[in-house]
């Protein structure tokens, strides 16, 4: 007969428990004897025979005290102190208990020392415990209660300094969380919140002879949201750091009895902040981010075939940062939320969303041209490990997906002519309006300290400043003096930290020059050295006629001078 189990809040609710289970037991150790029950506390568990395997032994804390160290447990050494006679255990028996994350072990060898028993064990599986079973759980049903034989506990086993648990469900508050503080640099989350919810639905159908028949693993409308201010601070030259810190570990533990056998399930959520940065001089960078990652995943195994589906989305926004930098910076911060479910300490289904941003700041020296950008991305890894089912068709099934990086902040991003375009002026004179442009980031915020270059293309004119840095209002301007041509043109652009021109920054100012020739001698006033030439007289390139020239400097103009080469200083 098939055993059916359902788990709410990672709760196995076995349908078909053993009323007269044939356990290997000790007559003098009641904690290992099977209970004779006609009905479970939940009121809906029927009792049938031959559903448990025959060599299952239950070690409870009533008469059996597990004293193994963590190193012992890791190596498979389970050491028990007993009151009264030691229980009868033989090689190949399956021991089960509810201490810690619970244990389900297969005995390899046994040694006894008075009231202490040392068992050398290996991991056992559910099909060592049950001959035929179905189980399911929903990790988000926190209100479910099975009865007096259930222990349910939620704890935060680790909270980094500055991390607090909100009164609202699944909200973590951050305040001055120092991720790294070493001589010369620090990384700090100044303030923020983390909003997370990963509802897991899992079901499996297996038996000892055929292994896994069917499996479903669903994560529906899961969310990892982060709203925070981050500060990177560096002093004293080039630095590279890469590190991570666990912000919190949340554990839900459920332990309950099926017959006399305890079932222990643990779901653990661990939030890790991972960061790295490289800088080449002193810098302070502060920025606010809002990011929300939503996902829905499904994995199914049926009739020998695996299938999966996946949907996810990323919403993000940002504000302009506060930056005080000299040369350059590359940095990234990622929030990784690990969620795994353990059955008797063995990982089953798991899902790990990863939300990250990457910032890049490049500054040229000595020009101080610079550019900066911030991108966000999301990754997800999810799957099922089936080591808890011995005859599973595959030990692990895993999927990974990524959302491509998305630009959320860039500077300089937008360049616009404010005023000074399409003016008219006279050759050699300054135009009345300055050539004024604005520089903004992708949130349309004005941005200062961006070097703007003005370059003459046509007309031969000049500008008062060839390079101007944008001011606090994001404006840069220069004065244009027109050259001696009708068509006048100036190019405006900014450069990246590597010296290349930012394509989006290329702007063009044009102007029309007015040709002025007051004495109508064919030479414009800007070049005419003899501005009052008599109409009709022939002039040279400087606008002077013979009647206006005195080539030998003898005081007689060339048009009247019969001796055009008089020596200098002689009287004529």
């Amino acid at each position: 007969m098939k055993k059916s189990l359902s788990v709410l809040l990672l709760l196995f609710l076995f349908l078909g428990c053993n009323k007269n289970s044939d356990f290997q037991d000790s007559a003098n150790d009641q904690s290992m004897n099977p209970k004779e029950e006609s009905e479970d506390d939940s009121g809906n568990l029927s009792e049938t025979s031959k559903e448990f395997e025959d060599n299952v032994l239950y070690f409870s804390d009533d008469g059996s005290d597990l004293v193994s160290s963590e190193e012992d447990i890791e190596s498979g050494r389970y050491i028990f102190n007993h009151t009264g006679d030691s229980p009868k255990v033989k090689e190949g028996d399956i021991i089960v208990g509810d201490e810690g994350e619970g244990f389900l072990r297969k005995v390899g060898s046994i040694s006894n020392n008075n009231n202490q028993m040392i068992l050398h064990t290996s991991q056992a599986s559910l099909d060592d415990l049950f001959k035929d079973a179905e189980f399911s759980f929903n990790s988000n049903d926190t209100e479910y209660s099975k009865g007096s034989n259930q222990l349910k506990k939620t704890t935060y086993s680790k909270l980094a300094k500055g991390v607090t648990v909100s009164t609202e469900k699944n909200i973590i508050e951050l305040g001055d969380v120092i991720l790294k503080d070493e001589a010369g640099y620090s990384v700090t989350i100044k303030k923020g919140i983390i909003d997370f919810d990963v509802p897991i639905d899992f079901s499996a159908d297996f038996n000892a002879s055929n292994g896994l028949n069917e499996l479903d693993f669903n994560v529906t409308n899961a969310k990892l949201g982060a709203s925070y201010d981050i500060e990177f601070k560096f002093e004293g030259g080039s630095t590279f750091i890469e590190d991570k810190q666990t912000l919190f570990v949340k554990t839900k533990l459920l332990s309950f009895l099926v017959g006399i056998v305890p079932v222990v399930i643990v779901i653990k959520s661990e939030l890790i902040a991972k960061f790295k940065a490289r800088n080449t001089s002193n810098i302070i960078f502060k920025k606010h981010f809002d990011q929300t990652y939503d996902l829905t995943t499904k994995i199914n195994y049926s009739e020998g075939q695996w299938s999966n589906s996946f949907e996810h989305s990323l919403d993000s926004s940002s504000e302009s940062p506060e930056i005080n930098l000299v040369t350059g910076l590359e940095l990234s911060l990622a929030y990784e939320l690990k969620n795994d479910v353990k059955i008797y300490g063995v990982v089953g289904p798991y899902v790990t969303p990863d939300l990250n941003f990457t910032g890049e700041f490049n500054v040229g020296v000595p020009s101080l041209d610079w550019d900066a950008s911030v991108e966000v991305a999301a990754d997800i890894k999810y799957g099922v490990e089936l080591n808890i089912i011995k005859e599973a068709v595959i030990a692990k099934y895993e999927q990974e997906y990524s959302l491509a990086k998305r630009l959320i902040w860039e500077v300089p991003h937008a360049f616009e002519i404010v005023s000074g375009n399409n003016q008219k002026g006279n050759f050699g004179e300054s135009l009345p309006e300055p050539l004024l442009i604005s520089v903004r980031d992708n949130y349309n915020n004005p941005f200062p300290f961006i070097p703007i270059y003005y370059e003459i293309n046509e007309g031969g004119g000049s500008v008062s400043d060839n390079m101007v840095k944008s001011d606090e209002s994001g404006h840069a301007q220069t004065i244009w003096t027109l050259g001696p041509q009708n068509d006048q043109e100036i190019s405006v652009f900014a450069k990246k930290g590597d010296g290349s021109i930012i394509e989006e920054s290329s702007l063009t100012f044009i102007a029309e020059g007015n040709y002025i020739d007051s004495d109508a001698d064919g030479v414009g006033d800007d070049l005419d050295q003899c501005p009052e030439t008599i109409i009709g007289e022939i002039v040279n390139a400087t606008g002077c006629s013979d009647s206006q020239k005195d080539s030998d400097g003898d005081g007689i103009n060339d048009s009247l001078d019969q001796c055009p080469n008089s020596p200098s200083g002689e009287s004529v």
Side-chain angles (χ1 to χ4, degrees):
M1 176 179 179
K2 177 169 288 188
K3 178 180 299 296
S4 176
L5 307 80
S6 17
V7 180
L8 301 176
L9 178 61
L10 303 182
L11 171 63
F12 281 88
L13 181 60
F14 286 85
L15 302 178
C17 296
N18 188 352
K19 178 179 179 181
N20 297 303
S21 303
D22 187 9
F23 284 83
Q24 195 80 4
D25 61 74
S26 168
N28 295 319
D29 186 33
Q30 186 63 34
S31 68
M32 297 185 62
N33 289 333
K35 287 186 178 180
E36 299 280 341
E37 296 186 14
S38 61
E39 187 174 58
D40 182 83
D41 291 338
S42 65
N44 63 353
L45 298 183
S46 61
E47 300 290 346
T48 59
S49 62
K50 303 301 183 182
E51 293 299 315
F52 290 109
E53 294 292 354
D54 297 335
N55 58 341
V56 176
L57 303 173
Y58 168 38
F59 281 73
S60 76
D61 55 5
D62 181 14
S64 301
D65 186 18
L66 179 62
V67 296
S68 297
S69 65
E70 290 185 8
E71 291 76 13
D72 289 329
I73 296 294
E74 186 70 23
S75 65
R77 280 168 45 94
Y78 280 71
I79 305 173
F80 296 92
N81 288 339
H82 294 285
T83 57
D85 296 334
S86 295
K88 298 176 181 178
V89 183
K90 65 178 184 298
E91 293 183 12
D93 282 347
I94 305 300
I95 62 171
V96 59
D98 57 5
E99 293 198 38
E101 294 185 349
F103 57 87
L104 179 62
R105 310 292 297 182
K106 185 173 184 178
V107 178
S109 63
I110 307 137
S111 60
N112 288 286
N113 182 10
N114 295 325
N115 290 331
Q116 186 174 87
M117 173 183 289
I118 302 175
L119 303 179
H120 296 269
T121 69
S122 59
Q123 181 63 53
S125 61
L126 287 178
D127 33 355
D128 288 322
L129 180 59
F130 301 105
K131 295 181 178 180
D132 195 8
E134 296 177 354
F135 63 86
S136 65
F137 65 78
N138 182 313
S139 67
N140 231 24
D141 192 351
T142 58
E143 300 304 318
Y144 183 83
S145 178
K146 180 175 178 290
S148 60
N149 66 349
Q150 175 191 301
L151 171 65
K152 182 170 62 177
K153 181 170 62 175
T154 298
T155 60
Y156 282 86
S157 56
K158 180 173 183 178
L159 286 173
K161 186 177 180 180
V163 179
T164 57
V165 180
S166 171
T167 55
E168 297 183 45
K169 180 182 176 182
N170 297 329
I171 297 289
I172 298 297
E173 297 177 349
L174 310 173
D176 287 324
V177 179
I178 299 173
L179 302 180
K180 198 75 172 179
D181 188 9
E182 302 287 346
Y185 60 87
S186 65
V187 182
T188 306
I189 302 174
K190 303 300 291 183
K191 63 179 180 179
I193 61 171
I194 304 293
D195 183 3
F196 65 99
D197 185 19
V198 184
I200 296 174
D201 290 285
F202 184 78
S203 63
D205 177 357
F206 69 94
N207 58 55
S209 57
N210 298 326
L212 183 67
N213 297 319
E214 188 167 1
L215 177 146
D216 282 293
F217 171 39
N218 301 321
V219 177
T220 305
N221 297 325
K223 177 176 70 173
L224 172 59
S227 177
Y228 57 97
D229 295 336
I230 184 75
E231 178 185 87
F232 288 79
K233 184 185 294 185
F234 300 90
E235 298 174 354
S238 179
T239 306
F240 175 77
I241 60 173
E242 183 173 11
D243 209 340
K244 61 183 179 180
Q245 183 179 145
T246 295
L247 299 183
F248 71 79
V249 177
K250 179 182 178 181
T251 302
K252 292 181 181 179
L253 180 146
L254 181 68
S255 175
F256 62 94
L257 294 176
V258 175
I260 71 164
V261 177
V263 177
V264 182
I265 304 164
V266 174
I267 181 168
K268 184 171 75 171
S269 300
E270 179 179 8
L271 183 67
I272 302 171
K274 301 182 295 183
F275 57 92
K276 62 181 177 180
R278 182 194 308 275
N279 83 298
T280 53
S281 191
N282 297 345
I283 183 169
I284 298 176
F285 168 80
K286 299 178 182 178
K287 188 164 179 61
H288 176 81
F289 292 93
D290 289 294
Q291 300 165 275
T292 301
Y293 184 36
D294 297 292
L295 62 100
T296 295
T297 69
K298 294 182 179 181
I299 293 178
N300 174 262
Y301 176 81
S302 180
E303 297 181 353
Q305 299 293 322
W306 288 95
S307 62
N308 73 90
S309 62
F310 182 77
E311 297 176 2
H312 62 169
S313 64
L314 175 64
D315 293 325
S316 59
S317 63
S318 177
E319 298 174 0
S320 292
E322 175 187 334
I323 304 176
N324 178 6
L325 76 164
V326 177
T327 51
L329 171 69
E330 297 176 17
L331 56 87
S332 68
L333 174 68
Y335 292 106
E336 180 182 78
L337 182 61
K338 294 182 177 179
N339 297 272
D340 61 63
V341 178
K342 291 184 178 181
I343 306 164
Y344 293 115
V346 180
V347 173
Y350 57 92
V351 56
T352 303
D354 191 319
L355 187 63
N356 60 80
F357 85 82
T358 302
E360 186 172 335
F361 302 81
N362 304 301
V363 183
V365 176
S367 67
L368 296 187
D369 298 312
W370 68 281
D371 63 284
S373 63
V374 174
E375 297 176 316
V376 296
D379 303 289
I380 178 70
K381 179 187 292 185
Y382 68 102
V384 181
E385 291 189 17
L386 300 175
N387 297 322
I388 196 65
I389 302 176
K390 180 171 59 178
E391 299 297 333
V393 71
I394 188 170
K396 184 174 182 178
Y397 180 83
E398 184 173 86
Q399 292 291 315
E400 295 186 35
Y401 289 93
S402 297
L403 276 173
K405 287 185 177 180
R406 179 185 303 169
L407 181 71
I408 64 169
W409 181 73
E410 181 181 51
V411 67
H413 175 80
F415 299 80
E416 183 181 12
I417 294 176
V418 177
S419 64
N421 198 20
N422 293 310
Q423 297 185 75
K424 292 183 178 181
N426 298 325
F427 295 161
E429 297 181 3
S430 297
L431 293 174
E433 292 185 17
L435 308 187
L436 179 63
I437 73 163
S438 69
V439 183
R440 297 180 177 269
D441 66 9
N442 58 313
Y443 289 95
N444 205 35
N445 298 309
F447 227 85
F449 311 121
I450 304 295
I452 302 298
Y453 295 87
Y454 294 85
E455 187 175 275
I456 303 293
N457 288 341
E458 295 182 32
S462 63
V463 291
S464 57
D465 294 287
N466 293 95
M467 190 278 285
V468 182
K469 289 184 180 179
S470 59
D471 59 22
E472 292 294 334
S473 62
H475 289 154
Q477 65 180 22
T478 193
I479 302 298
W480 189 3
T481 298
L482 297 183
Q485 299 179 21
N486 288 331
D487 296 328
Q488 310 275 328
E489 184 178 286
I490 286 183
S491 290
V492 182
F493 54 87
K495 297 179 181 180
K496 295 181 178 181
D498 62 7
S500 62
I501 293 176
I502 299 173
E503 184 177 348
E504 294 81 359
S505 71
S506 297
L507 302 172
T508 302
F509 285 89
I510 60 174
E512 183 179 338
N514 295 323
Y515 183 82
I516 301 176
D517 183 6
S518 301
D519 55 6
D521 62 359
V523 178
D525 289 359
D526 58 320
L527 299 177
D528 199 338
Q529 296 180 10
C530 302
E532 298 178 355
T533 303
I534 298 172
I535 294 176
E537 290 188 352
I538 299 174
V539 298
N540 62 8
T542 62
C544 296
S545 67
D546 286 347
S547 66
Q548 295 170 302
K549 292 187 295 182
D550 180 10
S551 301
D552 56 7
D554 59 2
I556 299 174
N557 62 52
D558 289 359
S559 63
L560 300 176
D561 197 343
Q562 297 182 9
C563 301
N565 296 313
S566 299
S568 176
E570 289 189 359
S571 299
V572 295

